[in-house]
Amino acid sequence: MTKNARKEKAADVSRRSFLKGVAVAGAAAVATGLTGCGTAGGSTPGTTSQAAVSWTDEADIVVVGGGGTGCACALSAGEAGASVILLESSSALGGCSALCVGSLTTPGSKMQADKGIKDSAESYLEDAEHHLAKTAKARAGEDWAIFELQAKEGGKTIDWLVDHGVKFNGPLAYPGNTNDRMHMLSPKSSAWPLVLQPLIEGTGGKILFNTKGVELVVEAGRVVGVKAVDQITKEELFLKGTKGVFIASASCDASYDLKIRASTDPEQCTIDAACAFNDGTGLMMCQMI
């Protein structure tokens, strides 16, 4: 193995270890009976102890991040009867999911079925594997797990959005895919938050804009809430999640230091982030527990 190859392999291992650690921490934060590593009555570095907190507000579920994932969580929880507080660092919902191209190329949607398109997760994965082979990329690890997740859940995600009033065009042809399976948000990618926001609020959900989650509050080895900061007044808020805290602020596009740890392509890390609020705080909050 050449020196450059060894260096690239080491960087790749470092990247995967970093992402795997974050994924495990994030899963722990999302789970019911949230797990922390603090001792009873104490706090871990980068977390806050409940003993030192005067709660500003509380709900069954506190959701950190108002992008696509956070909005889906907040709405689903509200529809299931839970009270919800949703934190969003910017002045509007959407995050990267409202700034992207707006296409989701995936099998198994009702839109496909309505057009008589017979597709499957297996066919999608075969196309994905063929594409990787053509581009000399390996099918491996976490990267392939993302393809598998999209194959299994992508169509259901589109159906859920459509059922809630979000509009798509398609399915359309897309290079490298043997079936028409590209679904395009309509009229543009930024339209979906305008549909979901009133639905979240209609279930009683509270949306705190310009409010950034910065630390998790732990007690007796359990996450019980979030410390947040109002980005305008700089006021500290302590928000209790009596049934759970959901971390949906996982992007680190605006943090060069985090991107360089998670990427094998340094040049890509110098590209300006589409969303300046995606500084990786959510990832670091998870890692602290």
Side-chain angles (χ1 to χ4, degrees), residues 85-271:
I85 297 174
L86 173 61
L87 311 183
E88 170 52 43
S89 296
S90 73
S91 59
L93 298 178
C96 286
S97 299
L99 297 171
C100 63
V101 173
S103 67
L104 183 55
T105 302
T106 190
S109 72
K110 292 177 183 176
M111 291 176 65
Q112 273 192 320
D114 289 344
K115 288 194 172 184
I117 299 172
K118 295 181 179 181
D119 202 358
S120 66
E122 292 74 20
S123 175
Y124 170 84
L125 291 173
E126 286 176 7
D127 289 347
E129 193 159 31
H130 181 67
H131 170 74
L132 290 173
K134 282 184 64 176
T135 56
K137 293 182 179 179
R139 164 185 165 172
E142 292 86 351
D143 296 333
W144 186 251
I146 292 173
F147 281 109
E148 291 180 321
L149 183 64
Q150 180 140 315
K152 179 182 178 183
E153 302 294 342
K156 298 175 188 176
T157 300
I158 291 169
D159 293 346
W160 184 86
L161 288 166
V162 170
D163 288 344
H164 283 86
V166 177
K167 296 187 181 302
F168 285 86
N169 289 324
L172 308 169
Y174 191 75
N177 287 267
T178 54
N179 283 302
D180 291 355
R181 55 171 74 113
M182 183 175 75
H183 304 71
M184 287 291 300
L185 283 164
S186 177
K188 54 186 178 180
S189 60
S190 60
W192 70 262
L194 303 178
V195 178
L196 295 195
Q197 180 175 338
L199 297 180
I200 294 170
E201 294 171 332
T203 64
K206 297 180 183 178
I207 304 175
L208 303 184
F209 292 108
N210 302 303
T211 304
K212 183 180 182 65
V214 293
E215 289 184 5
L216 296 174
V217 182
V218 300
E219 194 65 28
R222 186 176 187 273
V223 174
V224 295
V226 178
K227 174 184 175 182
V229 175
D230 185 308
Q231 299 293 281
I232 297 175
T233 67
K234 306 305 179 185
E235 176 187 4
E236 289 186 348
L237 308 173
F238 291 94
L239 306 164
K240 187 175 185 179
T242 58
K243 294 184 178 179
V245 173
F246 189 95
I247 304 298
S249 55
S251 178
C252 61
D253 290 350
S255 171
Y256 175 80
D257 290 341
L258 286 180
K259 284 196 294 186
I260 201 69
R261 291 172 59 188
S263 175
T264 56
D265 187 349
E267 289 187 7
Q268 291 293 320
C269 296
T270 63
I271 298 174

Side-chain angles (χ1 to χ4, degrees), residues 20-101:
K20 184 178 180 181
V22 167
V24 171
V30 170
T32 303
L34 304 153
T35 304
C37 55
T39 57
S43 64
T44 55
T47 66
T48 300
S49 170
Q50 181 174 225
V53 166
S54 177
W55 296 109
T56 308
D57 201 353
E58 70 174 60
D60 293 327
I61 304 293
V62 176
V63 182
V64 182
T69 302
C71 287
C73 174
L75 180 53
S76 295
E79 289 177 334
S83 58
V84 176
I85 297 174
L86 173 61
L87 311 183
E88 170 52 43
S89 296
S90 73
S91 59
L93 298 178
C96 286
S97 299
L99 297 171
C100 63
V101 173

